[in-house]
Amino acid sequence: MKQESQLAKLGLFDAKVPRYTSYPTAPHFAGGVGPDTFSSWIEQIPAGGSISLYLHVPFCRRLCWFCACRTQGTQSDESVRAYSEVLLAELQMLRDRLAPGVTLSRLHWGGGTPTLMPADMMKRLADAVFDVVPMGEGAEFSVEIDPNEIDAPRMDALVGAGMNRASIGVQDFDPQIQKIIGREQSYEITKAAVDMIRERGVASLNADILYGLPHQTPAKIANSVQQLLSLGPDRVALYGYAHVPWMARRQTMIPSDHLPTPQERLKLFEVARDLFVADGYDEIGIDHFALPTDGLSIAQKNGKLRRNFQGYTDDLAEALVGLGASSISRFPQGYAQNASATSKHTGAIREGQFSTARGHVFSAEDKLRGRMIEALMSDFEIKTDELVRDFGAKPHELAQMFSTCVDKFGDMVEMTTEGLRIPVKGRPLTRMIARHFDVYDMSASSHSSAI
């Protein structure tokens, strides 16, 4: 109780802060980064280098009310096929600008619902990707799979194309909660999809589950987690539901008066976390769990855990190229985001031009502070020597920044001989502590609850 009181005093239950999957966060992107800049950054990727590639498929057969992603509903395969032709054209534009010998470190198909695509389209798209940029040694090809929108032919196409990591969204298995959030997906349907994945030899399985949903109780989330554990995922993301109906209008369908309080959200998280840890999963950062054999656990132990728009990652490629409507790319020089509207993105590609609509060019301070925030989010520790070596930071200035952080958060952070660390008791405050090192105006955007 004393711990919760101290967390409350520091504002954990009231604060609205970013998830920090980027720095600066996407709401701070602006004009000035357009198609020419995007093309130039691609051309600067060194020959023989490695990149990650993200393909966004914005279509869903049905729109889940809890989701705040850039998606649109469709009942027709024709719109999906037309969009796939745009992705194929975009891939060819990428090929024209890539230096020779570039290979893939990671390939991820997200959405939306990538498994909405028919099997023949999946194969054609995968073939086109690998014709432009082949898989490198130890590369991963992951796909977000909707258990309600998958069958044997489509699964065969994905595995045949080289998918070696699958990702499924669970959210919650309770039928009442599923109905309220507009995502009805039984345990049996989910298990059937997992069985198809495992039977075809896909070794790695990711799963997402949410806490903070309406009518969720400790008993209900415990039951959902235990059902999920029975499916044996290698990696789990335990995300806090962000209720932002002013940004995602579909969330107005979810009754806000049945959402748990911030204090109840913390309890829900703790119940789920304890079950994952008790089942042998390593705790990764603030909201991921992984088996000791999974790449995330290995990266964390080796000090190589990173954070990007998909959450935590063990991918060390310096460039992440996003294709498709609303996709965000990250280069050593900055961020670039495609037009969010599918129609605008499609129009630009059909005219032979990338649809880059906004972005951000990194300053030296952005790079330094971005790494500080990433280090806190990933390792709960900032190391002075690393920042001096990689960014030319001045030790006395870092020490002053760390000191003001301790002044604000007390014993929830600690200055050490190596830098600054967050002890276990302070980790619920990690996003708030990271916010301390963010110099951008928070009022420029909307953020989710700190827990």
Side-chain angles (χ1 to χ4, degrees):
M1 185 61 70
K2 181 181 178 182
Q3 163 89 356
E4 186 171 310
S5 175
Q6 193 173 4
L7 293 173
K9 185 177 180 181
L10 289 167
L12 176 66
F13 303 124
D14 306 312
K16 301 292 183 183
V17 289
R19 296 182 187 274
Y20 286 116
T21 54
S22 71
Y23 182 79
T25 55
H28 292 288
F29 296 176
V33 176
D36 291 342
T37 304
F38 182 60
S39 293
S40 172
W41 288 349
I42 291 172
E43 290 165 358
Q44 291 176 57
I45 295 170
S50 178
I51 66 169
S52 294
L53 186 62
Y54 173 74
L55 267 63
H56 186 66
V57 180
F59 298 99
C60 293
R61 198 70 75 192
R62 55 186 170 72
L63 296 178
C64 303
W65 300 334
F66 72 89
C67 181
C69 297
R70 298 290 306 192
T71 59
Q72 60 194 82
T74 183
Q75 296 301 313
S76 167
D77 283 349
E78 290 310 307
S79 56
V80 181
R81 286 191 179 277
Y83 181 80
S84 74
E85 295 295 330
V86 173
L87 286 177
L88 293 171
E90 199 172 1
L91 280 164
Q92 292 307 307
M93 292 164 62
L94 175 64
R95 176 212 283 276
D96 293 341
R97 291 159 179 82
L98 272 181
V102 175
T103 58
L104 278 176
S105 170
R106 298 289 186 276
L107 170 62
H108 184 73
W109 292 3
T113 310
T115 51
L116 204 65
M117 294 186 288
D120 66 305
M121 188 187 307
M122 290 177 174
K123 181 180 185 308
R124 187 176 174 211
L125 184 58
D127 287 346
V129 168
F130 299 135
D131 185 51
V132 171
V133 54
M135 297 278 275
E137 183 178 354
E140 285 186 355
F141 173 15
S142 58
V143 179
E144 294 175 15
I145 293 174
D146 181 351
N148 286 306
E149 196 63 53
I150 192 66
D151 53 26
R154 284 180 283 182
M155 192 71 79
D156 288 339
L158 288 172
V159 175
M163 181 186 73
N164 53 15
R165 181 177 288 276
S167 182
I168 58 169
V170 169
Q171 321 320 338
D172 193 289
F173 281 120
D174 183 85
Q176 179 195 19
I177 294 174
Q178 288 185 355
K179 189 170 185 177
I180 289 173
I181 66 173
R183 175 65 175 249
E184 296 186 48
Q185 176 184 312
S186 68
Y187 172 81
E188 290 72 24
I189 287 174
T190 307
K191 185 178 185 302
V194 171
D195 288 345
M196 279 197 286
I197 291 166
R198 295 300 198 191
E199 287 165 1
R200 286 158 176 79
V202 177
S204 301
L205 176 65
N206 298 358
D208 295 346
I209 189 166
L210 293 175
Y211 70 92
L213 293 170
H215 292 291
Q216 214 172 33
T217 65
K220 285 184 176 182
I221 198 169
N223 187 56
S224 288
V225 169
Q226 288 165 341
Q227 287 180 287
L228 176 58
L229 287 169
S230 75
L231 301 177
D234 301 87
R235 183 184 299 179
V236 178
L238 174 62
Y239 291 130
Y241 167 62
H243 191 62
V244 287
W246 57 91
M247 293 176 59
R249 290 198 308 176
R250 70 190 74 166
Q251 289 187 354
T252 59
M253 302 291 291
I254 295 177
S256 59
D257 54 337
H258 292 298
L259 292 170
T261 66
Q263 291 84 353
E264 290 168 341
R265 283 172 64 95
L266 178 59
K267 179 62 176 177
L268 292 168
F269 173 82
E270 290 174 340
V271 166
R273 178 195 61 198
D274 291 349
L275 286 170
F276 287 123
V277 172
D279 213 55
Y281 287 76
D282 290 332
E283 199 166 354
I284 309 295
I286 64 168
D287 55 14
H288 280 50
F289 301 84
L291 294 176
T293 53
D294 185 81
L296 280 191
S297 289
I298 295 169
Q300 179 175 256
K301 292 178 177 69
N302 294 335
K304 295 183 177 179
L305 187 65
R306 295 292 180 263
R307 192 156 172 83
N308 65 15
F309 291 103
Q310 276 88 55
Y312 291 103
T313 181
D314 55 352
D315 180 27
L316 298 180
E318 290 194 355
L320 165 64
V321 179
L323 302 183
S326 79
S327 283
I328 300 176
S329 299
R330 186 193 191 283
F331 298 91
Q333 300 91 337
Y335 295 111
Q337 183 171 21
N338 292 344
S340 294
T342 305
S343 57
K344 289 187 177 180
H345 174 75
T346 296
I349 300 301
R350 286 177 174 166
E351 291 176 3
Q353 190 175 49
F354 288 117
S355 77
T356 315
R358 63 186 197 134
H360 181 86
V361 179
F362 293 141
S363 67
E365 185 176 18
D366 288 334
K367 293 179 180 181
L368 171 63
R369 290 181 178 271
R371 177 56 194 150
M372 293 169 75
I373 289 170
E374 181 183 49
L376 286 173
M377 297 289 292
S378 300
D379 305 316
F380 306 110
E381 183 176 22
I382 301 173
K383 293 185 177 180
T384 297
D385 287 351
E386 176 196 343
L387 301 181
V388 171
R389 181 192 68 223
D390 296 344
F391 302 95
K394 296 178 181 178
H396 70 279
E397 292 180 355
L398 293 174
Q400 180 59 40
M401 294 168 72
F402 298 161
S403 178
T404 59
C405 187
V406 173
D407 289 343
K408 181 174 182 178
F409 293 100
D411 62 358
M412 292 295 177
V413 290
E414 299 171 349
M415 285 186 70
T416 69
T417 55
E418 293 188 327
L420 185 77
R421 68 181 292 270
I422 306 175
V424 172
K425 66 179 180 179
R427 290 179 184 175
L429 294 164
T430 297
R431 286 165 57 197
M432 292 178 63
I433 295 168
R435 173 72 182 101
H436 179 77
F437 297 95
D438 182 347
V439 296
Y440 287 88
D441 181 8
M442 185 179 290
S443 65
S445 58
S446 299
H447 302 299
S448 62
S449 169
I451 184 65

